Amino acid sequence: MRLPKFSYRTPRTIAEAVKIIADAGPEGQFVAGGTDLYPNMKRRQQTPRTVISVMRLPELNQVTGDGGQGLVIGGSVTLTDICEHPIIKRDYPVIASAARTISTPILRNMGTIGGNLLLDTRCNYYDQNYEWRKGINFCLKKDGDVCWVAPGSSKCWAVQSSDLVPVMVAIGAKFRLVSTLGERMVDAAGFYNDDGIDYLKKRHDELLVDIHLPATNGWRASYQKLRRRGAFDFPVLGVAAYISFSTGSGSGPIMSGTLPDGRVSAISGSDRITDAKIVLGGIAPSPIEVNEAAQALIGQPLNEDQIQAAAEAAYVKARPLDNTDFVMNWRKQMARQYTIRALEELR
Ligand SMILES: Cc1cc2nc3c(=O)[nH]c(=O)nc-3n(C[C@H](O)[C@H](O)[C@H](O)COP(=O)(O)OP(=O)(O)OC[C@H]3O[C@@H](n4cnc5c(N)ncnc54)[C@H](O)[C@@H]3O)c2cc1C
Ligand code: SF4
């Protein structure tokens, strides 16, 4: 498969980058590592005539702050750098460990956090070469007029398949977007549409400059990923769990364990959960926040009963379709198991 012809631009400032895309109109598209965009172009799923690299914009290549004040990660920071950054590993281990599950070491050297958060949605009937898709007369998402997953549906159900998206939603990250019209901050929660075609609340001409993570005062988070091959595969279910605790009141038995980053964690048996989020990825066009799971946890200690209740809520809410790997009913059942795993890791 060959890339179509396109012109390639390498702006050095944000102002220049947003001007180029504004001038290019719908024919322009940003590229970072290209590990998603270039295969899509080879398959003629996306066909920009002007491709604008964001890799040489200094603001997008830096990481500033820490867990005490909050961290800002530039959109073009590579996944390898995310995995190895000492402050991310120390203060936001969930980000480093989720990034470590993405694709392969070589692809992580190229792929960026920004590209990951803006990843195209995926579907077995769409992630195929042009001839394959032509053989089924294409589909609603590109060049066709029927959805092969749900033929009666006017909506595309292609799946949000980024590993970092559920984590960003769970921890309350914010994204800074810039265009020639100005700048805005948006919450990761609410940034993703439940529509496999129009999957982002981002205008085409907006540049994702950086990702703002909240200070780590008293919360912790974990991520569990279901995939066929341990070496590399997209998630066909991802569960992000976030909890914060009331501190200082604990007089009950202490539960302790070692976190994935090597730190020792200790929670008093009487500590209460003050806030919680369970977010499911890889099963729908947008990440799914399971409010019922949060309700089962908030105000309670993190014990067996609460974990089971939250897992049951995740199971009920998960409604995967038959458009990725594995049987959809089994993926639904795994939502329960992976929620248990994510919460057990926090315990
Ligand atoms: C074999 C293989 C396996 C993979 N496995 C996984 C996996 O397990 N989990 C997973 O999450 N992903 C996976 N991926 C997808 C991809 O590699 C990663 O998501 C990667 O992080 C994408 O980043 P990128 O910089 O290469 O994005 P690009 O391809 O450069 O861009 C992706 C999209 O983001 C837009 N974009 C990029 N940066 C900006 C910006 N700053 N502002 C505005 N728009 C921007 C582009 O226009 C494009 O639409 C896999 C890919 C391959 C090829
Ligand atoms: S969900 Fe339907 S419309 Fe969307 S990519 Fe798959 S087959 Fe195409």
Side-chain angles (χ1 to χ4, degrees), residues 121-127 136 138-142 144-151 153-159 195-197 285 321-323:
T121 51
R122 297 181 59 82
C123 170
N124 286 343
Y125 296 90
Y126 172 72
D127 291 299
I136 60 163
F138 303 103
C139 78
L140 215 54
K141 184 159 162 70
K142 177 73 176 143
D145 51 16
V146 67
C147 170
W148 296 109
V149 175
S153 169
S154 58
K155 171 182 153 180
C156 166
W157 297 87
V159 176
D195 179 334
I197 297 172
L321 285 172
D322 194 12
N323 59 350

Side-chain angles (χ1 to χ4, degrees), residues 6-289:
F6 59 93
S7 69
Y8 183 70
R9 307 288 301 274
T10 52
R12 307 298 168 115
T13 65
I14 291 177
E16 195 190 344
V18 296
K19 169 86 169 56
I20 296 172
I21 202 157
D23 290 347
E27 297 287 341
Q29 190 160 354
F30 290 121
V31 69
T35 62
D36 186 49
L37 181 63
Y38 291 141
N40 288 356
M41 288 174 69
K42 288 181 178 178
R43 295 188 289 245
R44 305 303 190 263
Q45 293 157 323
Q46 287 168 322
T47 51
R49 303 290 295 273
T50 304
V51 174
I52 306 142
S53 171
V54 299
M55 295 308 279
R56 296 193 188 176
L57 305 173
E59 294 93 330
L60 276 71
N61 281 292
Q62 51 196 21
V63 178
T64 53
D66 60 22
Q69 63 192 78
L71 195 75
V72 180
I73 307 176
S76 299
V77 174
T78 67
L79 296 171
T80 297
D81 286 343
I82 298 284
C83 297
E84 290 174 2
H85 196 282
I87 292 173
I88 298 178
K89 275 164 63 179
R90 186 193 66 196
D91 296 349
Y92 299 89
V94 64
I95 304 281
S97 64
R100 219 170 281 130
T101 71
I102 297 172
S103 56
T104 66
I106 292 168
L107 286 163
R108 290 198 293 273
N109 289 341
M110 298 287 296
T112 64
I113 185 168
N116 186 257
L117 297 173
L118 304 175
L119 195 65
D120 193 7
T121 51
R122 297 181 59 82
C123 170
N124 286 343
Y125 296 90
Y126 172 72
D127 291 299
Q128 306 288 349
N129 66 35
Y130 184 83
E131 284 69 30
W132 193 103
R133 292 188 295 117
K134 191 176 174 191
I136 60 163
N137 208 13
F138 303 103
C139 78
L140 215 54
K141 184 159 162 70
K142 177 73 176 143
D143 299 328
D145 51 16
V146 67
C147 170
W148 296 109
V149 175
S153 169
S154 58
K155 171 182 153 180
C156 166
W157 297 87
V159 176
Q160 213 302 312
S161 304
S162 151
D163 284 300
L164 286 174
V165 163
V167 178
M168 293 296 171
V169 173
I171 69 173
K174 292 178 187 294
F175 304 152
R176 182 159 69 106
L177 303 172
V178 172
S179 72
T180 51
L181 301 178
E183 176 178 315
R184 65 185 178 118
M185 290 288 280
V186 295
D187 290 325
F191 182 65
Y192 299 92
N193 289 327
D194 188 28
D195 179 334
I197 297 172
D198 182 20
Y199 47 89
L200 296 175
K201 285 199 179 66
K202 179 183 100 57
R203 283 198 329 271
H204 174 78
D205 62 337
E206 285 180 305
L207 174 72
L208 171 58
V209 173
D210 43 34
I211 297 105
H212 295 239
L213 308 184
T216 56
N217 48 347
W219 61 263
R220 59 182 66 170
S222 69
Y223 177 68
Q224 293 288 328
K225 169 177 182 170
L226 174 67
R227 56 178 162 178
R228 186 177 290 270
R229 296 171 294 190
F232 82 102
D233 252 330
F234 281 92
V236 290
L237 167 70
V239 179
Y242 159 100
I243 48 176
S244 63
F245 282 96
S246 58
T247 50
S249 60
S251 57
I254 301 285
M255 294 174 282
S256 69
T258 308
L259 296 170
D261 60 336
R263 287 178 302 156
V264 173
S265 100
I267 303 169
S268 160
S270 64
D271 277 350
R272 302 275 158 179
I273 297 169
T274 52
D275 193 13
K277 281 190 200 119
I278 299 292
V279 181
L280 308 179
I283 54 166
S286 63
I288 296 173
E289 216 174 308

